[in-house]
Amino acid sequence: MNNKLGVILRHGLVLALLALGADVLAAEPVAMVTDIEGKAVLSEGKDKHDLTILSELKPGARVQLESGARVAVVYLVSGQEYELGGPAVIRFNASQPEALSGAKPKKGGVALAKGGSTIRIKPVVVAQAAIVMRSSAPGSRLKLVSLSGTKTLDVRPVFQWQPPQSGLHYQFELMDDTGKTIATATTDDSFLELPTQMQLKEEADYTWMVSTVLPDGAKYSNVGDFSIAPPALREQAEKMRPLNQATVSERVEYANWLEQMELRDEARKYWKSVAAERQGHPRLKEIIGD
């Protein structure tokens, strides 16, 4: 009896763990929206809300597209793209979408195939270090526009910040990974380029500081950090770069990959171009920080 009871208990435990694993797996998104035109509603259980660019789609999620609506999605593991057209109701299975009514999903290409290897796409995490402000006191922070918490493709990058008002003078300082100051400058502009003879090392970490004083004596400052991307990564980014006439979906996929590679400044250029073309999407607003 004891042996039988032990077997039953172990069997029950295995089933419970398998069920728990299935629940955890089901909680992970399988696809992501890369473009949308028109009205579409996402249903996950009892929750319903408008579908937007960068919406994540879990197994079993249903999307109802109104007449004339168009949605582009990419499956995260395979990179397989699909285009959905309304009116339709689409259910997202683990490996592909299925039409419950209306037009069937159209299978497209594979995302980021220009890179020459399989690229796994991950959901975008909204954490734009390039606009994180880290000065000592509230109200005294300069907003950094570029080169903070990022790798950069530029071997001679431009440092940029947002002026609190016009007519100010700025102090600039650049330090290497040992904390040694390697460059200083003053400027009346809200950007700075390093001298042509100054070469930064690839993959080395750098920190820079910019500060100013307002006419009323208030001090504004901020600190950023960055590194120059290695040649292999710069080459890969160039191979995968979308063409000028690239679709919104292609630009979203590329920007997403840039984020994964910590090339956040480069990614932001593409997020901003998409946001200008597809206004009103909340995740895009969060990412670009405007």
Side-chain angles (χ1 to χ4, degrees):
M1 286 292 292
N2 288 339
N3 287 339
K4 288 184 179 179
L5 179 60
V7 170
I8 291 171
L9 289 175
R10 286 195 295 272
H11 184 66
L13 179 60
V14 169
L15 290 176
L17 289 173
L18 287 173
L20 178 61
D23 288 341
V24 171
L25 182 62
E28 294 296 321
V30 294
M32 182 180 68
V33 177
T34 54
D35 193 13
I36 179 170
E37 293 181 283
K39 175 79 170 180
V41 175
L42 171 63
S43 299
E44 292 179 311
K46 296 181 180 180
D47 296 331
K48 292 186 177 182
H49 50 85
D50 289 346
L51 199 68
T52 68
I53 292 176
L54 299 181
S55 286
E56 297 167 13
L57 303 164
K58 298 177 182 179
R62 297 189 181 196
V63 171
Q64 182 172 352
L65 292 84
E66 292 188 356
S67 179
R70 186 189 69 83
V71 175
V73 300
V74 59
Y75 267 72
L76 300 175
V77 174
S78 65
Q80 183 62 57
E81 301 167 337
Y82 292 90
E83 184 169 318
L84 320 176
V89 175
I90 307 296
R91 179 173 61 199
F92 284 84
N93 300 321
S95 60
Q96 63 184 26
E98 173 190 6
L100 301 181
S101 67
K104 295 181 179 180
K106 294 180 181 179
K107 194 173 184 178
V110 177
L112 305 174
K114 290 172 61 179
S117 59
T118 302
I119 303 294
R120 179 169 181 173
I121 293 178
K122 300 177 183 177
V124 178
V125 177
V126 181
Q128 283 298 302
I131 59 171
V132 170
M133 295 172 279
R134 301 184 294 176
S135 87
S136 58
S140 63
R141 298 163 175 167
L142 286 171
K143 180 177 179 179
L144 304 183
V145 177
S146 66
L147 288 183
S148 184
T150 187
K151 294 177 183 176
T152 178
L153 299 175
D154 298 320
V155 292
R156 293 192 64 250
V158 177
F159 304 84
Q160 294 179 287
W161 55 92
Q162 184 172 299
Q165 66 180 57
S166 60
L168 298 177
H169 307 287
Y170 298 93
Q171 297 291 326
F172 170 89
E173 183 178 2
L174 177 64
M175 293 153 280
D176 63 17
D177 54 2
T178 69
K180 178 184 177 182
T181 298
I182 57 175
T184 60
T186 59
T187 180
D188 297 336
D189 297 315
S190 57
F191 66 91
L192 187 133
E193 296 181 73
L194 296 175
T196 55
Q197 67 272 21
M198 186 172 187
Q199 300 293 321
L200 299 181
K201 298 178 181 178
E202 295 165 347
E203 299 186 78
D205 294 324
Y206 293 94
T207 301
W208 64 285
M209 178 186 298
V210 60
S211 60
T212 189
V213 179
L214 272 60
D216 63 4
K219 297 181 180 180
Y220 278 66
S221 64
N222 211 339
V223 178
D225 55 280
F226 70 98
S227 63
I228 308 293
L233 181 55
R234 298 204 305 272
E235 182 180 353
Q236 187 180 17
E238 189 57 39
K239 285 182 179 179
M240 295 170 60
R241 189 181 302 279
L243 301 175
N244 292 334
Q245 64 271 28
T247 65
V248 165
S249 187
E250 289 170 332
R251 281 176 279 155
V252 167
E253 291 165 358
Y254 184 62
N256 196 344
W257 176 79
L258 290 171
E259 292 279 357
Q260 292 175 210
M261 297 297 104
E262 300 180 18
L263 294 163
R264 298 186 181 95
D265 278 6
E266 190 70 15
R268 194 164 184 266
K269 300 174 186 177
Y270 289 89
W271 293 131
K272 291 188 76 171
S273 76
V274 170
E277 199 167 330
R278 297 283 191 267
Q279 298 182 11
H281 291 268
R283 291 289 301 281
L284 294 177
K285 290 182 178 179
E286 286 181 276
I287 289 175
I288 63 178
D290 291 345

